[in-house]
Amino acid sequence: MSTKGKSIYGLILDERNQQKGNSADQQYFYLNHESAGLQYQVKFVDAQKLGIELDYISIKRNQSLEEVAEINEMLSVQAQKIQESVTFLLEDFKLLELDKQNKRAQLRSYPPYADDDAKYYYEIVLDEGNAVHFQRYQFIRQEKRYAKITSQLTAETFERLIDSLSDLLDS
Amino acid sequence: MLLNIDNDYNRFRQIIKGKIKDNLKKYISNGEMVGRKGKDLVSIPLPQIDIPKFRFGNNGRGGAGEGEGEEGTPVSGQEGEEGSGKAGNQPGHHLREVELTLDELAEILGDELELPNIEPKGKKQIVSRKDKYTGISSVGPESLRHFKRTFREALKRQIVTGQFNFEKPQVVPIRDDFRYRTWKSTAMPESNAVIIYMMDVSGSMWDDQKHIVRLETFWIDTWLQYQYKGLETRYIIHDAQAQEVDRETFFSVRENGGTVISSAYNLCRQLIEKEYPPEEWNIYTFHFSDGDNWSREDNKNCAELLKEHILPKVNLFGYGQVESTYGSGEFIDFLEENLKEYETLVLSYIPDKEAIYDSIRDFLGKGK
Protein backbone atom coordinates (compact mmCIF):
# COMPACT_ATOMS: atom_id res chain seq x y z
CA MET A 1 0.00 0.00 0.00
CA SER A 2 1.34 3.44 -0.96
CA THR A 3 2.41 5.75 1.84
CA LYS A 4 2.96 8.81 -0.32
CA GLY A 5 -0.19 10.47 0.93
CA LYS A 6 0.84 10.10 4.55
CA SER A 7 4.27 11.54 3.98
CA ILE A 8 2.93 14.44 1.87
CA TYR A 9 0.40 15.26 4.57
CA GLY A 10 3.17 15.33 7.15
CA LEU A 11 5.09 17.75 4.97
CA ILE A 12 2.00 19.90 4.55
CA LEU A 13 1.57 20.25 8.28
CA ASP A 14 5.25 21.17 8.66
CA GLU A 15 5.05 23.67 5.80
CA ARG A 16 1.91 25.23 7.20
CA ASN A 17 3.45 25.71 10.63
CA GLN A 18 6.65 27.09 9.20
CA GLN A 19 4.97 29.54 6.78
CA LYS A 20 2.46 30.59 9.43
CA GLY A 21 5.41 31.45 11.63
CA ASN A 22 6.78 33.73 8.92
CA SER A 23 3.56 35.60 8.28
CA ALA A 24 0.47 35.25 10.47
CA ASP A 25 -1.98 36.65 7.90
CA GLN A 26 -0.91 34.44 5.01
CA GLN A 27 -3.96 33.44 2.94
CA TYR A 28 -2.55 30.43 1.09
CA PHE A 29 0.18 27.93 1.67
CA TYR A 30 2.14 26.00 -0.90
CA LEU A 31 3.96 22.72 -0.70
CA ASN A 32 6.47 21.98 -3.44
CA HIS A 33 8.04 18.59 -3.05
CA GLU A 34 9.79 16.04 -5.24
CA SER A 35 9.88 12.37 -4.46
CA ALA A 36 10.53 9.21 -6.51
CA GLY A 37 10.48 11.05 -9.83
CA LEU A 38 7.23 12.91 -9.08
CA GLN A 39 6.90 16.65 -8.48
CA TYR A 40 4.10 17.61 -6.11
CA GLN A 41 2.58 21.03 -5.77
CA VAL A 42 -0.22 21.49 -3.26
CA LYS A 43 -1.93 24.80 -2.64
CA PHE A 44 -4.05 24.95 0.50
CA VAL A 45 -5.76 27.45 2.75
CA ASP A 46 -5.14 25.64 5.98
CA ALA A 47 -4.30 22.23 7.34
CA GLN A 48 -4.69 20.72 10.77
CA LYS A 49 -4.09 17.29 12.15
CA LEU A 50 -7.53 16.05 11.10
CA GLY A 51 -8.19 17.80 7.85
CA ILE A 52 -7.22 20.24 5.12
CA GLU A 53 -8.86 23.05 3.19
CA LEU A 54 -7.38 22.32 -0.20
CA ASP A 55 -7.19 24.54 -3.25
CA TYR A 56 -5.50 22.23 -5.74
CA ILE A 57 -3.11 19.36 -6.19
CA SER A 58 -0.73 19.14 -9.14
CA ILE A 59 1.53 16.17 -9.67
CA LYS A 60 3.95 15.82 -12.55
CA ARG A 61 6.23 13.00 -13.53
CA ASN A 62 9.71 14.11 -14.56
CA GLN A 63 9.89 11.57 -17.33
CA SER A 64 7.61 12.32 -20.27
CA LEU A 65 6.22 10.11 -23.02
CA GLU A 66 7.19 10.75 -26.62
CA GLU A 67 4.77 8.86 -28.84
CA VAL A 68 1.38 10.49 -29.34
CA ALA A 69 -0.39 7.14 -29.62
CA GLU A 70 1.29 5.97 -26.44
CA ILE A 71 0.24 9.16 -24.63
CA ASN A 72 -3.38 8.84 -25.70
CA GLU A 73 -3.43 5.19 -24.70
CA MET A 74 -2.00 6.20 -21.32
CA LEU A 75 -4.66 8.90 -20.92
CA SER A 76 -7.44 6.36 -21.48
CA VAL A 77 -5.93 4.00 -18.94
CA GLN A 78 -5.48 6.77 -16.38
CA ALA A 79 -9.04 8.02 -16.89
CA GLN A 80 -10.36 4.51 -16.38
CA LYS A 81 -8.32 4.12 -13.19
CA ILE A 82 -9.66 7.36 -11.75
CA GLN A 83 -13.23 6.29 -12.39
CA GLU A 84 -12.57 3.01 -10.65
CA SER A 85 -10.40 4.11 -7.74
CA VAL A 86 -11.34 7.67 -6.75
CA THR A 87 -14.66 6.75 -5.21
CA PHE A 88 -14.18 8.19 -1.74
CA LEU A 89 -15.09 11.84 -2.39
CA LEU A 90 -18.89 11.35 -2.23
CA GLU A 91 -18.99 12.14 -5.96
CA ASP A 92 -17.92 9.65 -8.62
CA PHE A 93 -15.92 10.70 -11.65
CA LYS A 94 -16.86 10.53 -15.32
CA LEU A 95 -14.62 11.02 -18.31
CA LEU A 96 -16.01 14.02 -20.16
CA GLU A 97 -13.45 14.89 -22.75
CA LEU A 98 -10.50 13.01 -24.17
CA ASP A 99 -8.71 15.41 -26.45
CA LYS A 100 -6.30 13.29 -28.47
CA GLN A 101 -5.05 16.27 -30.40
CA ASN A 102 -3.99 18.22 -27.34
CA LYS A 103 -3.26 15.05 -25.37
CA ARG A 104 -5.50 15.89 -22.46
CA ALA A 105 -8.34 14.24 -20.62
CA GLN A 106 -10.91 15.92 -18.42
CA LEU A 107 -12.91 14.13 -15.75
CA ARG A 108 -15.54 15.68 -13.54
CA SER A 109 -17.70 14.42 -10.74
CA TYR A 110 -20.94 13.01 -12.03
CA PRO A 111 -23.55 14.02 -11.27
CA PRO A 112 -22.38 17.35 -9.91
CA TYR A 113 -23.76 18.29 -6.52
CA ALA A 114 -26.37 21.01 -6.91
CA ASP A 115 -28.38 23.19 -4.57
CA ASP A 116 -30.81 25.96 -5.44
CA ASP A 117 -28.15 28.50 -6.25
CA ALA A 118 -25.14 26.63 -7.52
CA LYS A 119 -23.55 23.45 -8.83
CA TYR A 120 -20.35 21.99 -7.38
CA TYR A 121 -17.99 19.46 -8.85
CA TYR A 122 -14.45 18.14 -8.72
CA GLU A 123 -12.33 18.20 -11.85
CA ILE A 124 -9.28 16.14 -12.66
CA VAL A 125 -7.29 17.04 -15.75
CA LEU A 126 -4.76 14.58 -17.12
CA ASP A 127 -2.09 16.16 -19.26
CA GLU A 128 0.10 14.30 -21.74
CA GLY A 129 0.04 11.17 -19.62
CA ASN A 130 2.56 12.57 -17.16
CA ALA A 131 0.67 15.21 -15.18
CA VAL A 132 -2.51 15.37 -13.16
CA HIS A 133 -4.34 18.36 -11.68
CA PHE A 134 -7.14 18.23 -9.09
CA GLN A 135 -9.47 21.17 -8.33
CA ARG A 136 -13.02 21.81 -7.12
CA TYR A 137 -15.33 24.22 -8.97
CA GLN A 138 -18.55 26.02 -8.32
CA PHE A 139 -21.01 27.35 -10.88
CA ILE A 140 -23.22 30.08 -9.45
CA ARG A 141 -26.41 30.32 -11.48
CA GLN A 142 -26.96 33.99 -10.80
CA GLU A 143 -23.48 34.98 -11.90
CA LYS A 144 -23.45 32.52 -14.81
CA ARG A 145 -19.80 31.64 -14.30
CA TYR A 146 -17.46 29.06 -12.89
CA ALA A 147 -15.19 29.74 -9.97
CA LYS A 148 -12.45 27.66 -8.41
CA ILE A 149 -13.25 26.83 -4.83
CA THR A 150 -11.55 24.94 -2.04
CA SER A 151 -12.29 21.37 -0.96
CA GLN A 152 -12.58 20.40 2.69
CA LEU A 153 -11.04 16.96 3.05
CA THR A 154 -10.20 14.87 6.06
CA ALA A 155 -6.55 13.99 6.43
CA GLU A 156 -7.34 10.40 5.54
CA THR A 157 -9.26 11.33 2.39
CA PHE A 158 -6.48 13.68 1.31
CA GLU A 159 -3.88 10.96 1.79
CA ARG A 160 -5.94 8.48 -0.26
CA LEU A 161 -6.33 11.08 -2.98
CA ILE A 162 -2.58 11.71 -3.14
CA ASP A 163 -1.98 7.95 -3.27
CA SER A 164 -4.49 7.44 -6.08
CA LEU A 165 -3.19 10.32 -8.17
CA SER A 166 0.44 9.30 -7.61
CA ASP A 167 -0.36 5.73 -8.66
CA LEU A 168 -1.64 7.02 -12.00
CA LEU A 169 1.75 8.46 -12.83
CA ASP A 170 3.73 5.61 -11.32
CA SER A 171 2.21 3.03 -13.62
CA MET B 1 -77.96 36.23 -48.72
CA LEU B 2 -75.42 33.57 -49.58
CA LEU B 3 -72.15 33.67 -47.72
CA ASN B 4 -69.00 32.34 -49.29
CA ILE B 5 -67.40 29.60 -47.20
CA ASP B 6 -64.06 31.37 -47.73
CA ASN B 7 -65.14 34.01 -45.25
CA ASP B 8 -65.73 31.42 -42.55
CA TYR B 9 -62.56 29.60 -43.42
CA ASN B 10 -60.46 32.76 -43.25
CA ARG B 11 -62.08 33.70 -39.97
CA PHE B 12 -61.23 30.25 -38.61
CA ARG B 13 -57.60 30.61 -39.78
CA GLN B 14 -57.41 33.92 -37.97
CA ILE B 15 -58.64 32.26 -34.78
CA ILE B 16 -56.05 29.51 -35.16
CA LYS B 17 -53.25 32.01 -35.74
CA GLY B 18 -54.37 33.98 -32.72
CA LYS B 19 -54.27 30.85 -30.57
CA ILE B 20 -50.81 29.94 -31.83
CA LYS B 21 -49.57 33.45 -31.17
CA ASP B 22 -50.95 33.33 -27.64
CA ASN B 23 -49.12 30.07 -26.98
CA LEU B 24 -46.01 30.76 -29.06
CA LYS B 25 -43.65 30.67 -26.12
CA LYS B 26 -44.87 27.17 -25.29
CA TYR B 27 -44.41 26.00 -28.87
CA ILE B 28 -40.92 27.47 -29.03
CA SER B 29 -39.87 25.81 -25.78
CA ASN B 30 -41.45 22.47 -26.69
CA GLY B 31 -40.31 21.96 -30.22
CA GLU B 32 -41.62 18.41 -30.33
CA MET B 33 -45.11 19.92 -30.49
CA VAL B 34 -44.38 21.37 -33.90
CA GLY B 35 -44.27 18.57 -36.44
CA ARG B 36 -43.00 18.91 -39.96
CA LYS B 37 -45.34 17.82 -42.72
CA GLY B 38 -43.43 17.73 -45.93
CA LYS B 39 -41.20 20.56 -46.98
CA ASP B 40 -43.37 23.58 -46.38
CA LEU B 41 -45.98 22.56 -43.83
CA VAL B 42 -45.98 22.18 -40.08
CA SER B 43 -48.67 20.73 -37.88
CA ILE B 44 -49.38 22.20 -34.47
CA PRO B 45 -51.66 20.72 -31.82
CA LEU B 46 -54.14 23.28 -30.58
CA PRO B 47 -56.19 22.74 -27.45
CA GLN B 48 -59.57 24.33 -26.76
CA ILE B 49 -60.80 25.20 -30.18
CA ASP B 50 -64.52 24.83 -30.60
CA ILE B 51 -65.25 23.59 -34.04
CA PRO B 52 -68.52 24.97 -35.39
CA LYS B 53 -71.14 22.24 -35.84
CA PHE B 54 -74.85 21.83 -36.31
CA ARG B 55 -76.90 21.31 -33.19
CA PHE B 56 -80.35 19.80 -33.50
CA GLY B 57 -83.13 21.45 -31.59
CA ASN B 58 -86.04 19.70 -29.86
CA ASN B 59 -88.58 20.58 -32.47
CA GLY B 60 -91.27 17.90 -32.64
CA ARG B 61 -89.62 15.76 -30.01
CA GLY B 62 -90.80 17.42 -26.85
CA GLY B 63 -93.98 16.82 -24.86
CA ALA B 64 -95.23 14.18 -22.39
CA GLY B 65 -94.98 10.45 -23.07
CA GLU B 66 -98.27 8.70 -23.66
CA GLY B 67 -97.46 5.00 -23.61
CA GLU B 68 -97.91 2.36 -20.88
CA GLY B 69 -95.80 2.31 -17.73
CA GLU B 70 -95.18 4.65 -14.94
CA GLU B 71 -92.65 7.30 -14.32
CA GLY B 72 -89.23 5.72 -13.55
CA THR B 73 -89.89 2.44 -15.37
CA PRO B 74 -86.82 1.47 -17.44
CA VAL B 75 -87.43 1.69 -21.14
CA SER B 76 -86.12 -1.83 -21.70
CA GLY B 77 -88.52 -3.23 -19.15
CA GLN B 78 -85.67 -4.58 -17.01
CA GLU B 79 -84.21 -3.14 -13.88
CA GLY B 80 -80.98 -1.26 -14.55
CA GLU B 81 -77.76 -2.42 -12.90
CA GLU B 82 -75.14 -0.24 -11.36
CA GLY B 83 -72.11 0.20 -13.51
CA SER B 84 -68.82 -1.20 -12.26
CA GLY B 85 -66.45 1.30 -13.88
CA LYS B 86 -64.79 4.09 -11.97
CA ALA B 87 -64.85 7.71 -12.81
CA GLY B 88 -61.82 8.99 -14.65
CA ASN B 89 -59.51 11.33 -12.83
CA GLN B 90 -57.64 12.79 -15.81
CA PRO B 91 -58.68 15.88 -17.68
CA GLY B 92 -59.99 15.27 -21.15
CA HIS B 93 -57.73 16.05 -24.07
CA HIS B 94 -59.20 17.71 -27.05
CA LEU B 95 -56.21 18.45 -29.20
CA ARG B 96 -56.72 19.45 -32.75
CA GLU B 97 -53.82 19.44 -35.11
CA VAL B 98 -53.81 22.33 -37.49
CA GLU B 99 -51.58 22.75 -40.47
CA LEU B 100 -49.73 25.93 -41.25
CA THR B 101 -47.23 26.83 -43.89
CA LEU B 102 -43.77 27.76 -42.68
CA ASP B 103 -44.39 31.27 -43.98
CA GLU B 104 -47.51 31.58 -41.84
CA LEU B 105 -45.55 30.34 -38.85
CA ALA B 106 -42.80 32.85 -39.58
CA GLU B 107 -45.37 35.64 -39.79
CA ILE B 108 -46.71 34.67 -36.38
CA LEU B 109 -43.18 34.53 -35.00
CA GLY B 110 -42.38 37.93 -36.45
CA ASP B 111 -45.59 39.47 -35.07
CA GLU B 112 -45.25 38.02 -31.62
CA LEU B 113 -41.55 38.74 -31.17
CA GLU B 114 -41.89 42.04 -33.04
CA LEU B 115 -39.08 41.03 -35.34
CA PRO B 116 -38.19 43.65 -37.91
CA ASN B 117 -38.01 42.56 -41.51
CA ILE B 118 -34.46 42.01 -42.64
CA GLU B 119 -32.92 44.56 -44.88
CA PRO B 120 -30.54 42.65 -47.11
CA LYS B 121 -27.03 44.02 -47.50
CA GLY B 122 -26.55 46.52 -50.33
CA LYS B 123 -24.48 44.68 -52.87
CA LYS B 124 -25.64 41.21 -52.32
CA GLN B 125 -28.47 41.36 -54.82
CA ILE B 126 -27.88 39.01 -57.68
CA VAL B 127 -29.75 39.58 -60.91
CA SER B 128 -31.07 36.36 -62.29
CA ARG B 129 -32.87 36.20 -65.63
CA LYS B 130 -36.22 34.49 -65.88
CA ASP B 131 -37.77 33.57 -69.24
CA LYS B 132 -41.50 33.60 -69.75
CA TYR B 133 -43.49 32.76 -72.90
CA THR B 134 -45.38 35.88 -73.67
CA GLY B 135 -46.51 35.81 -77.31
CA ILE B 136 -46.65 34.20 -80.75
CA SER B 137 -44.46 34.94 -83.74
CA SER B 138 -44.29 33.77 -87.35
CA VAL B 139 -40.62 33.02 -87.01
CA GLY B 140 -38.76 30.99 -84.50
CA PRO B 141 -36.97 27.73 -83.86
CA GLU B 142 -38.79 24.52 -84.73
CA SER B 143 -38.59 23.37 -81.14
CA LEU B 144 -40.92 26.21 -80.16
CA ARG B 145 -43.45 25.68 -82.88
CA HIS B 146 -46.98 26.13 -81.52
CA PHE B 147 -48.92 23.29 -83.16
CA LYS B 148 -52.41 24.41 -82.23
CA ARG B 149 -51.88 27.96 -83.45
CA THR B 150 -50.18 26.68 -86.58
CA PHE B 151 -53.13 24.46 -87.44
CA ARG B 152 -55.58 27.24 -86.66
CA GLU B 153 -53.76 29.56 -89.08
CA ALA B 154 -53.76 26.83 -91.72
CA LEU B 155 -57.50 26.23 -91.21
CA LYS B 156 -58.28 29.95 -91.50
CA ARG B 157 -56.23 30.21 -94.67
CA GLN B 158 -57.88 27.16 -96.25
CA ILE B 159 -61.38 28.42 -95.43
CA VAL B 160 -60.68 31.92 -96.73
CA THR B 161 -59.16 30.62 -99.93
CA GLY B 162 -61.88 28.00 -100.41
CA GLN B 163 -59.46 25.12 -100.16
CA PHE B 164 -61.15 23.56 -97.17
CA ASN B 165 -63.38 20.58 -97.99
CA PHE B 166 -66.11 20.20 -95.38
CA GLU B 167 -66.92 16.74 -96.67
CA LYS B 168 -63.37 15.59 -96.32
CA PRO B 169 -61.69 17.89 -93.77
CA GLN B 170 -57.95 18.03 -94.09
CA VAL B 171 -55.70 20.75 -92.78
CA VAL B 172 -52.21 20.99 -94.23
CA PRO B 173 -50.09 23.83 -92.88
CA ILE B 174 -47.66 25.52 -95.18
CA ARG B 175 -44.63 27.57 -94.15
CA ASP B 176 -46.62 30.84 -93.80
CA ASP B 177 -48.99 29.16 -91.32
CA PHE B 178 -46.27 28.22 -88.90
CA ARG B 179 -46.44 30.00 -85.58
CA TYR B 180 -43.86 29.92 -82.80
CA ARG B 181 -43.83 30.79 -79.15
CA THR B 182 -41.85 33.87 -78.24
CA TRP B 183 -40.52 34.67 -74.80
CA LYS B 184 -39.43 37.61 -72.82
CA SER B 185 -36.52 37.64 -70.41
CA THR B 186 -36.99 39.60 -67.22
CA ALA B 187 -34.32 40.48 -64.74
CA MET B 188 -35.26 39.29 -61.24
CA PRO B 189 -33.21 40.69 -58.38
CA GLU B 190 -32.64 37.98 -55.77
CA SER B 191 -31.16 38.11 -52.32
CA ASN B 192 -28.98 35.11 -51.71
CA ALA B 193 -28.45 34.03 -48.17
CA VAL B 194 -26.61 31.28 -46.37
CA ILE B 195 -26.76 30.16 -42.76
CA ILE B 196 -23.67 28.51 -41.34
CA TYR B 197 -24.47 26.70 -38.11
CA MET B 198 -21.63 25.67 -35.83
CA MET B 199 -22.03 23.49 -32.77
CA ASP B 200 -19.70 22.32 -30.05
CA VAL B 201 -20.12 18.54 -29.79
CA SER B 202 -17.42 17.99 -27.20
CA GLY B 203 -17.95 15.66 -24.27
CA SER B 204 -19.54 18.34 -22.10
CA MET B 205 -22.36 19.00 -24.61
CA TRP B 206 -25.01 16.42 -23.85
CA ASP B 207 -28.36 15.64 -25.42
CA ASP B 208 -30.22 18.32 -23.47
CA GLN B 209 -27.97 21.03 -24.83
CA LYS B 210 -28.22 19.70 -28.37
CA HIS B 211 -32.01 19.65 -28.06
CA ILE B 212 -31.96 23.34 -27.23
CA VAL B 213 -29.79 23.99 -30.28
CA ARG B 214 -32.16 21.98 -32.47
CA LEU B 215 -35.16 24.03 -31.33
CA GLU B 216 -33.32 27.28 -31.75
CA THR B 217 -32.20 26.44 -35.28
CA PHE B 218 -35.73 25.43 -36.32
CA TRP B 219 -37.06 28.90 -35.50
CA ILE B 220 -34.07 30.68 -36.98
CA ASP B 221 -34.48 28.65 -40.19
CA THR B 222 -38.18 29.43 -40.29
CA TRP B 223 -37.62 33.16 -39.98
CA LEU B 224 -34.74 33.42 -42.41
CA GLN B 225 -36.44 31.21 -45.00
CA TYR B 226 -39.39 33.57 -44.80
CA GLN B 227 -37.08 36.51 -45.41
CA TYR B 228 -34.95 34.98 -48.15
CA LYS B 229 -36.00 32.64 -50.90
CA GLY B 230 -33.28 30.21 -51.86
CA LEU B 231 -31.63 29.99 -48.47
CA GLU B 232 -28.65 27.65 -48.15
CA THR B 233 -27.68 26.00 -44.90
CA ARG B 234 -24.29 24.55 -43.91
CA TYR B 235 -23.42 22.70 -40.73
CA ILE B 236 -20.12 22.54 -38.87
CA ILE B 237 -19.44 20.50 -35.76
CA HIS B 238 -16.37 20.73 -33.62
CA ASP B 239 -14.69 19.40 -30.56
CA ALA B 240 -10.94 19.88 -30.78
CA GLN B 241 -11.27 19.61 -34.56
CA ALA B 242 -13.97 20.87 -36.88
CA GLN B 243 -15.68 19.26 -39.83
CA GLU B 244 -18.60 19.99 -42.08
CA VAL B 245 -21.51 17.56 -41.80
CA ASP B 246 -25.09 17.18 -43.00
CA ARG B 247 -28.06 18.26 -40.91
CA GLU B 248 -28.83 14.82 -39.52
CA THR B 249 -25.26 14.27 -38.36
CA PHE B 250 -25.16 17.77 -36.93
CA PHE B 251 -27.85 16.95 -34.40
CA SER B 252 -27.05 13.33 -33.72
CA VAL B 253 -23.28 13.03 -33.55
CA ARG B 254 -21.67 12.31 -30.19
CA GLU B 255 -18.03 13.06 -29.56
CA ASN B 256 -15.97 13.16 -26.42
CA GLY B 257 -13.05 15.28 -27.53
CA GLY B 258 -11.94 18.54 -26.02
CA THR B 259 -13.21 21.96 -26.97
CA VAL B 260 -11.22 24.11 -29.37
CA ILE B 261 -13.65 26.69 -30.67
CA SER B 262 -11.20 28.29 -33.08
CA SER B 263 -11.23 25.09 -35.14
CA ALA B 264 -14.86 25.79 -36.09
CA TYR B 265 -14.25 29.47 -36.77
CA ASN B 266 -11.36 28.55 -39.02
CA LEU B 267 -13.50 26.20 -41.07
CA CYS B 268 -16.28 28.78 -41.20
CA ARG B 269 -13.81 31.35 -42.47
CA GLN B 270 -12.60 28.97 -45.19
CA LEU B 271 -16.17 28.22 -46.23
CA ILE B 272 -17.01 31.91 -46.56
CA GLU B 273 -13.83 32.73 -48.44
CA LYS B 274 -14.23 29.83 -50.82
CA GLU B 275 -17.95 29.78 -51.54
CA TYR B 276 -19.77 32.83 -50.24
CA PRO B 277 -18.29 36.15 -51.33
CA PRO B 278 -19.90 38.69 -49.01
CA GLU B 279 -20.68 41.10 -51.85
CA GLU B 280 -23.01 38.47 -53.30
CA TRP B 281 -24.31 36.72 -50.20
CA ASN B 282 -26.11 37.56 -47.01
CA ILE B 283 -24.20 35.45 -44.55
CA TYR B 284 -25.63 34.35 -41.22
CA THR B 285 -23.45 32.43 -38.82
CA PHE B 286 -24.55 30.91 -35.54
CA HIS B 287 -22.38 29.11 -33.02
CA PHE B 288 -23.67 27.15 -30.04
CA SER B 289 -21.46 25.94 -27.23
CA ASP B 290 -21.36 25.57 -23.46
CA GLY B 291 -18.55 28.09 -23.52
CA ASP B 292 -16.04 25.78 -21.94
CA ASN B 293 -13.16 26.44 -24.32
CA TRP B 294 -10.00 24.46 -23.67
CA SER B 295 -7.66 27.41 -23.20
CA ARG B 296 -7.52 31.17 -22.94
CA GLU B 297 -5.03 31.10 -25.79
CA ASP B 298 -7.70 29.64 -28.03
CA ASN B 299 -10.12 32.37 -26.93
CA LYS B 300 -7.64 34.86 -28.33
CA ASN B 301 -7.40 32.91 -31.59
CA CYS B 302 -11.19 33.02 -31.84
CA ALA B 303 -11.26 36.78 -31.29
CA GLU B 304 -8.64 37.22 -34.00
CA LEU B 305 -10.57 35.08 -36.50
CA LEU B 306 -13.80 36.86 -35.75
CA LYS B 307 -12.32 40.34 -35.98
CA GLU B 308 -10.27 39.82 -39.10
CA HIS B 309 -12.16 37.29 -41.15
CA ILE B 310 -15.72 36.69 -40.09
CA LEU B 311 -17.47 39.66 -38.46
CA PRO B 312 -16.69 42.11 -41.29
CA LYS B 313 -18.18 39.72 -43.83
CA VAL B 314 -21.39 38.53 -42.24
CA ASN B 315 -24.79 40.05 -41.65
CA LEU B 316 -24.93 38.42 -38.26
CA PHE B 317 -22.79 36.25 -36.05
CA GLY B 318 -24.94 34.81 -33.30
CA TYR B 319 -23.22 33.11 -30.41
CA GLY B 320 -25.57 31.13 -28.19
CA GLN B 321 -24.14 29.78 -24.96
CA VAL B 322 -26.13 26.91 -23.50
CA GLU B 323 -25.79 25.69 -19.95
CA SER B 324 -24.37 22.21 -19.55
CA THR B 325 -24.78 19.85 -16.61
CA TYR B 326 -21.85 21.66 -15.02
CA GLY B 327 -22.89 25.20 -15.82
CA SER B 328 -21.56 27.50 -18.43
CA GLY B 329 -18.09 28.60 -19.45
CA GLU B 330 -16.46 31.97 -19.79
CA PHE B 331 -16.42 32.26 -23.58
CA ILE B 332 -19.49 34.48 -23.75
CA ASP B 333 -17.90 36.87 -21.25
CA PHE B 334 -14.72 36.87 -23.26
CA LEU B 335 -16.58 37.84 -26.44
CA GLU B 336 -18.54 40.48 -24.55
CA GLU B 337 -15.36 42.04 -23.20
CA ASN B 338 -13.33 41.90 -26.38
CA LEU B 339 -15.71 42.29 -29.30
CA LYS B 340 -18.63 44.30 -28.02
CA GLU B 341 -18.03 47.10 -30.53
CA TYR B 342 -18.96 44.85 -33.45
CA GLU B 343 -22.58 45.35 -34.43
CA THR B 344 -22.74 42.09 -36.32
CA LEU B 345 -22.00 40.10 -33.17
CA VAL B 346 -25.00 39.07 -31.07
CA LEU B 347 -24.55 37.12 -27.85
CA SER B 348 -27.27 35.14 -26.17
CA TYR B 349 -27.22 33.12 -22.98
CA ILE B 350 -29.57 30.12 -23.08
CA PRO B 351 -29.70 28.37 -19.70
CA ASP B 352 -32.73 26.22 -20.56
CA LYS B 353 -35.53 25.65 -23.04
CA GLU B 354 -37.60 28.47 -21.57
CA ALA B 355 -34.89 30.91 -22.61
CA ILE B 356 -35.09 30.02 -26.32
CA TYR B 357 -37.91 32.50 -26.84
CA ASP B 358 -35.82 35.45 -25.68
CA SER B 359 -32.76 34.11 -27.40
CA ILE B 360 -34.49 34.12 -30.78
CA ARG B 361 -35.46 37.72 -30.16
CA ASP B 362 -31.83 38.48 -29.29
CA PHE B 363 -30.58 36.97 -32.53
CA LEU B 364 -33.23 38.14 -34.96
CA GLY B 365 -34.44 41.31 -33.30
CA LYS B 366 -31.88 43.54 -34.97
CA GLY B 367 -33.23 43.10 -38.47
CA LYS B 368 -29.79 42.25 -39.81
Side-chain angles (χ1 to χ4, degrees), chain A residues 94-102 104-106 108-112 119 121 125 139 141 143-146, chain B residues 202-204 206 240-241 256-260 290 292 294-295 323-330 333 337 349:
Chain A
K94 181 182 171 83
L95 174 63
L96 278 190
E97 297 184 350
L98 178 59
D99 184 347
K100 294 185 174 176
Q101 196 182 5
N102 293 300
R104 276 182 173 178
Q106 180 191 54
R108 285 181 179 170
S109 35
Y110 178 77
K119 298 175 181 181
Y121 57 90
V125 174
F139 176 76
R141 290 194 174 90
E143 296 174 13
K144 301 176 190 169
R145 62 175 67 209
Y146 298 114
Chain B
S202 63
S204 54
W206 295 357
Q241 289 175 309
N256 70 345
T259 310
V260 180
D290 62 2
D292 225 352
W294 202 236
S295 70
E323 196 176 301
S324 77
T325 308
Y326 297 94
S328 197
E330 62 178 14
D333 295 331
E337 284 162 20
Y349 184 69

Side-chain angles (χ1 to χ4, degrees), chain B residues 137-286:
Chain B
S137 165
S138 56
V139 290
E142 286 304 306
S143 59
L144 292 182
R145 195 198 303 165
H146 196 305
F147 289 96
K148 200 172 172 183
R149 295 290 286 264
T150 298
F151 272 83
R152 195 200 292 173
E153 287 301 317
L155 181 61
K156 272 161 58 182
R157 177 182 49 77
Q158 285 183 211
I159 292 172
V160 168
T161 57
Q163 293 174 351
F164 189 74
N165 181 355
F166 287 90
E167 300 299 319
K168 194 180 174 189
Q170 252 187 344
V171 179
V172 182
I174 60 172
R175 183 68 190 85
D176 285 351
D177 298 330
F178 287 2
R179 293 293 180 270
Y180 303 88
R181 288 185 180 89
T182 59
W183 72 94
K184 202 173 175 181
S185 293
T186 47
M188 301 280 288
E190 274 184 6
S191 296
N192 282 359
V194 59
I195 309 179
I196 302 173
Y197 286 119
M198 292 169 274
M199 180 161 63
D200 174 4
V201 292
S202 63
S204 54
M205 287 283 286
W206 295 357
D207 287 348
D208 287 351
Q209 287 75 47
K210 287 176 191 167
H211 185 58
I212 287 175
V213 176
R214 186 198 294 264
L215 296 179
E216 186 107 13
T217 57
F218 169 78
W219 292 99
I220 292 171
D221 278 348
T222 301
W223 179 249
L224 290 179
Q225 267 166 12
Y226 175 63
Q227 298 285 328
Y228 295 101
K229 302 305 166 196
L231 184 73
E232 282 191 20
T233 315
R234 308 292 287 262
Y235 299 93
I236 293 172
I237 55 170
H238 75 91
D239 49 11
Q241 289 175 309
Q243 58 177 314
E244 193 185 355
V245 295
D246 58 29
R247 181 182 172 83
E248 196 181 330
T249 311
F250 185 76
F251 290 115
S252 60
V253 72
R254 296 175 72 99
E255 302 283 347
N256 70 345
T259 310
V260 180
I261 293 176
S262 66
S263 64
Y265 291 180
N266 237 324
L267 186 55
C268 175
R269 168 200 170 181
Q270 288 168 20
L271 210 56
I272 291 171
E273 286 177 354
K274 204 170 159 190
E275 298 184 40
Y276 303 104
E279 59 276 10
E280 292 178 12
W281 288 83
N282 289 281
I283 304 168
Y284 292 84
T285 44
F286 295 93

Side-chain angles (χ1 to χ4, degrees), chain B residues 36 41 83-84 93 115 127 136 211 245 295 320 322 332-333 339:
Chain B
R36 287 299 287 263
L41 285 177
S84 57
H93 292 285
L115 300 179
V127 176
I136 297 291
H211 185 58
V245 295
S295 70
V322 294
I332 194 168
D333 295 331
L339 300 171

